[in-house]
Amino acid sequence: MMGRAMDGQQPSHGITEKEERDLRKFTKFLALKAIQVIVQSRTGEKTNTRSKSNTDGTDWFNLAIPEKATVKSHAKKLLMTDIPRAGYPLNVEITLETAEGDKMVLESWSLAVNDTVDPNTKVHYTVYNRMGLLLKSLICVSRVTPAYRIARRQGTGDYRILSRVFFGETKLSLLGEDFSSVQVGSVPTPVGTVILNVAYRTKLTISTSRHISRVRAPVPLKEDHYSTSPSHKGPGPGLPVGTKPSIGIEDSNTTLDSSQDYIVGSFSTSPPDNYAFPSRGDQATPSPVRGRGASEDRLTKPPSSSTPGGFDLPGRLGPFASPKNVAGSESLISDDIPFGSLLQEVGGSMADKFIVTGNEDQPSAQEGADQPDWTGLDLSQHSNKSSLPSDSDDFVMVDLNPAFAKQDTSSDLVAFCCQFQQAPPLELFDHQPTLGETLSKLPERLAQFKENESEFDAFVASLQRDVDEYSD
Amino acid sequence: MNARSQTFELTVEGWQIEEVVLSLFHTLLFHRTTGKFQYKQEGTYSIGTVGMVEQDCDYTDFSYIRCESAELDAYLRKEVSGFRDILKSNDGLHSGQISLEFYEKKKNRWPFPDESIPWEVWNLNINVVTLTNEHERQAYREKLGELLGERVVCIVEAMNRHDYLPKAPNQPLLDTVFNTTFTDVQPYLFKISCQNSGPTNASVGTAVKKLVRDTLAL
C-alpha cells in the first residue's frame, strides 16, 4: 500500500529508498498540479501557456501549467503533511452557488491510490511520464464535463463556481441521482496505482420555493433593484479577486456547512449588486460566500408581507407609490375628485417630493428597507410622510438609463441627470409663513394699501383713459 | 507489428468539418507530444515544456486543448482544410475519412528506403449533412459538442491504457520516433491521410497502399 510504503523508511516492493522518496514527491506534485488544473478550469477563464524548447527544469511533468498563487499556497499546505494513499483520496469538489446563496455540487474529482502494484515499472522514467500523460488527460477531460460550460458562462452575476479541496471520502451522494463518472486515467507504480476519477452531476436544475413565489409576483422585479445597503454586496467587480476570505482548503473531511472552505473559482464581472434582502439583514459583514443555513432559511420561510422589503412580495411598491388602502388612514379629499391624489400631495408633501435637496435627514433604517434609495435625488421627506393616504400606486417607475452610463443607479452620471431633470426648487417654498404670522401682518398690509390708495386710483383711471382713447 | 486503431464516426455540417477534425486531432497530438529534446553532452538531454492553448470552436459548442505550437497548428490546419475542400468540391460526395497515423521509422540499408511502421491509427469518418433551419442547427451545435466530449473521453481512456509507445532513442535516431521539424514541440512521428471514398480498414488499407508505393519506389 502506498501510504505504508511511503511513510516507512525501509525500502519495499523492490524499489530503493530514493525511488520511494521520489515516487512520493512525484505523487505530491501530481496532486498539486491536478488541483491547479481543475480549479483553474472552473474559473471561466481560458488557459494559454507557452511551449519552451529550452527549459530550466522548473516545469513539472514537462507541462506548462499556470499556477495561481492562492491555490498553490493552500494546496501546498494541504499536501505538506499527507499525500493521496489507499483509502484516503484527495478530492476537489466543484460547487455552483447562485446569487441567492443556493449551492449545488456539480462534480467531484478524486485522486486515489489502490493496492494494485506494478513492480516492473520504473519510477524515474515510466511513472514520471505517465503522470504527465495523466495530467494531459485531466486537462482535456476538464473541458468536456458539464461544469466546464457552466463555468465559462460565469460573469452575469447569477452564479459563480466554488472549489473545495479536501482529503477523505468522496461524497457522491451530493451529485444527485444518475450522476456520471469517468476514469481520467491511472498510473501503476511499484507501490500502488494512482487513479484519477471524476463524477459529475447530470441533473442540473435547482427548484426552490423562491422560484415559485417569484412566479406569483405580478411584476418581475430584479432582486437587487432596490439597492440600499453596501453591506449586502453580492459578487461583482467590487470584490477584488484574492481578497476574499472564502479561500480555504481543509485537511479533514468537512461538510458544506462551513462557508470558509471554498476556493472561489471566479467572481462575476457584473456591476456590484446591492442586495436588499431583509433575510440577509442579520449579516453584519459582507461575505461572498454565505452559509447554507441562511440559504435554507430563505428557502423554507415563505415570504411574508410583514417582512420589510421582501423582494418577492406580490404587491411590492414602486417609487412614488404609497400603499394602497393603508389601514387606519383617512382620506382628506374625496376619491371622486379627478386627480385627487395629486391634490393630496399639494396638501401634504408634494413640494418636498420633487425638491432636489442636499444631504438632509436620511430615512431611518426601517424606512430605508421599505423605500428605494434614490441616490442623488433625496426623497427623505417623502419617505417620512409615506404613510399619507394616496391612490398614486399607479405610477410606474421607469429606470433612468443615461447614455454612456453604467447600469448602476448610484453612479455620478445618473445622479447628475436626475438632478437636472427635476424642476428647480422654488424659493417660495423655502419659507412659508404660518397662518398666525399671516393674520398678524394683515392689518399692516391693509394700512399700507390704504396709504397707496391714490396711486391705485390713478393707475385704474389711466387704464380707463386708455380704453376710452382706443374706443374713440 | 499490428497497429492499434480506433475509428470515430461523426455527422457534421459543412462548416463544422474543419473544427471537428481539428478538435480531435489536436487532443490526440496533445497527448502524443513531448517537449523538445535538447542534447547537452554525451547521453544527457533536457526535455522542453509543452504549453497549451484552450481553443473554442466557432460552429460547435465545444472547447478543446491543443499544444501551444503555431507550427504544429498550421501544419494540421493545412492538412485538414485539404480534407474539407475534397469533401466540399465533390458533388454528391458527402462522406470521407481522415486518418491520423503515428508511426516509427525503421532504417534500412541502402538502397532500400526507410520503412514506416504505424503503431497507432485514428480514423475519423465524417458524414456531411445540411440542416434545414436555424433551430435544428442550434440544437445540433450543442449535440455535436456533447458527441465530441464523448470522443475526447474515449481518447483519454485509450491514452491511459499505456499500450505500446516507441522508446525514446539516442540522439542520432531521434527522428525515427519523433517529428523533430517543429521548433517548439516534439510530437511522435505522425501523418495525416484522407480518403474521399467510403471508409475502409485504414490499417490494412494504408499497409497495402504503402506496399504498392514502396514497390513502385524500387
Side-chain angles (χ1 to χ4, degrees):
Chain A
M1 194 170 73
M2 182 174 271
R4 272 201 316 270
M6 288 180 176
D7 291 340
Q9 295 299 314
Q10 295 299 319
S12 58
H13 301 100
I15 59 173
T16 65
E17 196 171 334
K18 182 179 185 306
E19 285 176 326
E20 196 173 309
R21 200 169 52 243
D22 287 345
L23 183 55
R24 186 182 170 88
K25 196 174 177 182
F26 294 168
T27 308
K28 180 182 172 180
F29 276 93
L30 173 69
L32 280 171
K33 295 291 178 184
I35 292 169
Q36 287 281 359
V37 167
I38 295 165
V39 173
Q40 287 180 43
S41 69
R42 300 300 177 251
T43 61
E45 296 162 5
K46 287 166 73 173
T47 304
N48 196 339
T49 55
R50 299 294 305 272
S51 296
K52 287 179 277 187
S53 55
N54 286 306
T55 179
D56 50 5
T58 56
D59 292 317
W60 272 87
F61 306 109
N62 307 110
L63 267 174
I65 296 172
E67 293 203 327
K68 281 187 179 280
T70 329
V71 179
K72 184 181 178 182
S73 65
H74 286 274
K76 265 191 167 179
K77 196 161 53 177
L78 184 72
L79 293 162
M80 195 174 286
T81 52
D82 224 331
I83 60 167
R85 53 186 161 84
Y88 196 62
L90 175 74
N91 298 289
V92 182
E93 205 172 75
I94 305 296
T95 303
L96 178 145
E97 187 195 46
T98 65
E100 289 82 19
D102 301 322
K103 288 196 181 76
M104 179 169 70
V105 178
L106 296 177
E107 59 188 16
S108 183
W109 300 82
S110 162
L111 186 65
V113 178
N114 69 18
D115 294 335
T116 309
V117 298
D118 185 353
N120 299 321
T121 307
K122 289 179 182 174
V123 171
H124 287 113
Y125 180 78
T126 309
V127 169
Y128 185 82
N129 283 344
R130 286 179 177 178
M131 283 182 172
L133 193 69
L134 179 62
L135 274 174
K136 286 177 179 175
S137 296
L138 170 63
I139 291 164
C140 291
V141 172
S142 64
R143 268 71 182 176
V144 303
T145 58
Y148 173 75
R149 288 270 141 209
I150 295 170
R152 284 291 299 274
R153 291 181 188 132
Q154 287 178 98
T156 60
D158 295 333
Y159 64 87
R160 59 181 177 161
I161 302 294
L162 308 172
S163 306
R164 189 166 71 103
V165 188
F166 61 95
F167 274 115
E169 188 187 347
T170 309
K171 299 191 201 75
L172 297 176
S173 60
L174 296 172
L175 296 168
E177 293 176 359
D178 303 329
F179 66 86
S180 294
S181 59
V182 170
Q183 181 172 314
V184 180
S186 61
V187 180
T189 76
V191 295
T193 301
V194 179
I195 301 169
L196 182 56
N197 287 310
V198 58
Y200 57 91
R201 176 183 288 272
T202 55
K203 292 183 177 175
L204 296 165
T205 53
I206 301 178
S207 62
T208 65
S209 57
R210 182 184 298 107
H211 294 104
I212 296 167
S213 62
R214 194 178 298 164
V215 169
R216 287 197 201 115
V219 179
L221 290 175
K222 196 180 175 192
E223 291 157 7
D224 57 346
H225 188 91
Y226 297 98
S227 57
T228 53
S229 169
S231 66
H232 297 301
K233 289 208 173 200
L239 304 172
V241 176
T243 60
K244 289 292 144 189
S246 58
I247 294 175
I249 296 174
E250 297 197 352
D251 53 1
S252 62
N253 192 357
T254 57
T255 67
L256 273 174
D257 292 332
S258 167
S259 63
Q260 297 297 313
D261 56 351
Y262 288 97
I263 295 172
V264 179
S266 139
F267 289 90
S268 92
T269 53
S270 59
D273 294 331
N274 301 335
Y275 294 103
F277 299 165
S279 55
R280 293 181 188 172
D282 55 343
Q283 292 176 350
T285 54
S287 171
V289 179
R290 290 169 292 278
R292 195 185 188 189
S295 166
E296 283 178 345
D297 285 346
R298 290 195 305 282
L299 291 176
T300 52
K301 287 179 188 170
S304 163
S305 58
S306 62
T307 308
F311 67 93
D312 47 4
L313 281 179
R316 183 169 184 166
L317 298 174
F320 306 108
S322 299
K324 197 174 186 176
N325 301 326
V326 176
S329 65
E330 294 177 5
S331 179
L332 300 176
I333 299 174
S334 168
D335 289 344
D336 295 333
I337 302 172
F339 307 107
S341 60
L342 297 177
L343 296 176
Q344 282 176 19
E345 297 294 340
V346 171
S349 61
M350 190 161 178
D352 300 329
K353 190 170 174 179
F354 294 104
I355 287 175
V356 179
T357 63
N359 289 327
E360 295 182 9
D361 296 337
Q362 295 297 321
S364 65
Q366 183 64 34
E367 288 159 352
D370 285 336
Q371 298 294 332
D373 178 17
W374 286 77
T375 309
L377 179 61
D378 192 333
L379 297 177
S380 56
Q381 294 183 46
H382 170 65
S383 299
N384 290 337
K385 296 171 185 174
S386 62
S387 60
L388 278 173
S390 169
D391 288 334
S392 60
D393 53 355
D394 51 357
F395 278 93
V396 177
M397 192 214 63
V398 179
D399 269 340
L400 176 66
N401 293 318
F404 312 114
K406 292 177 184 174
Q407 298 292 322
D408 181 3
T409 54
S410 63
S411 72
D412 290 342
L413 187 54
V414 176
F416 177 81
C417 289
C418 282
Q419 279 194 350
F420 285 89
Q421 278 185 357
Q422 304 304 322
L426 291 174
E427 291 180 3
L428 174 68
F429 294 118
D430 283 350
H431 176 68
Q432 290 198 57
T434 62
L435 184 61
E437 287 174 349
T438 309
L439 287 174
S440 63
K441 288 180 180 175
L442 198 56
E444 189 183 334
R445 299 283 287 177
L446 285 171
Q448 193 181 354
F449 291 150
K450 192 74 178 173
E451 282 178 16
N452 299 330
E453 191 180 0
S454 58
E455 286 182 29
F456 296 149
D457 288 343
F459 174 69
V460 173
S462 69
L463 291 176
Q464 186 67 38
R465 192 168 53 250
D466 291 345
V467 173
D468 292 344
E469 285 173 2
Y470 281 114
S471 61
D472 291 343
Chain B
M1 183 179 60
N2 292 324
R4 55 181 180 269
S5 72
Q6 186 151 354
T7 303
F8 294 138
E9 185 149 356
L10 284 165
T11 301
V12 301
E13 282 204 282
W15 45 68
Q16 293 169 325
I17 295 171
E18 204 168 348
E19 62 185 19
V20 161
V21 176
L22 282 173
S23 66
L24 296 180
F25 281 9
H26 264 308
T27 301
L28 288 162
L29 279 164
F30 182 59
H31 283 85
R32 293 289 182 235
T33 299
T34 70
K36 286 286 281 185
F37 285 14
Q38 298 288 345
Y39 287 90
K40 294 171 181 173
Q41 293 168 351
E42 187 70 24
T44 64
Y45 61 92
S46 65
I47 303 177
T49 301
V50 178
M52 55 184 171
V53 175
E54 201 162 345
Q55 190 84 42
D56 291 336
C57 292
D58 293 325
Y59 308 107
T60 312
D61 284 352
F62 190 67
S63 302
Y64 61 92
I65 294 287
R66 66 170 175 86
C67 292
E68 197 282 318
S69 169
E71 294 170 42
L72 179 61
D73 186 44
Y75 177 80
L76 218 55
R77 281 180 188 276
K78 187 183 163 200
E79 295 289 323
V80 174
S81 64
F83 173 65
R84 178 204 58 198
D85 293 342
I86 289 170
L87 278 186
K88 284 190 167 180
S89 63
N90 290 303
D91 292 337
L93 180 68
H94 293 297
S95 64
Q97 186 184 69
I98 186 164
S99 302
L100 174 61
E101 179 181 299
F102 293 99
Y103 66 97
E104 58 186 319
K105 282 183 196 167
K106 185 181 174 188
K107 290 200 180 287
N108 280 329
R109 284 185 205 163
W110 189 89
F112 299 102
D114 293 344
E115 192 179 348
S116 296
I117 305 168
W119 49 269
E120 188 174 79
V121 182
W122 297 86
N123 303 311
L124 193 51
N125 294 340
I126 297 290
N127 300 311
V128 183
V129 292
T130 304
L131 298 174
T132 53
N133 57 51
E134 279 305 313
H135 178 71
E136 282 184 2
R137 200 158 281 137
Q138 183 59 33
Y140 194 67
R141 178 190 170 100
E142 293 173 19
K143 179 67 182 169
L144 187 57
E146 290 173 18
L147 292 173
L148 286 173
E150 290 170 12
R151 302 299 181 274
V152 167
V153 170
C154 287
I155 289 171
V156 161
E157 283 174 357
M159 292 293 167
N160 284 275
R161 279 187 216 125
H162 305 304
D163 294 326
Y164 171 81
L165 277 177
K167 286 181 182 173
N170 297 326
Q171 186 177 8
L173 295 175
L174 192 65
D175 60 355
T176 62
V177 171
F178 293 106
N179 185 330
T180 54
T181 58
F182 301 113
T183 57
D184 39 15
V185 292
Q186 186 174 285
Y188 282 96
L189 280 172
F190 70 95
K191 60 185 165 192
I192 293 170
S193 56
C194 52
Q195 300 166 0
N196 57 5
S197 57
T200 58
N201 187 331
S203 56
V204 175
T206 47
V208 171
K209 269 187 176 179
K210 202 174 289 125
L211 187 66
V212 173
R213 204 182 302 131
D214 291 350
T215 308
L216 290 173
L218 285 171

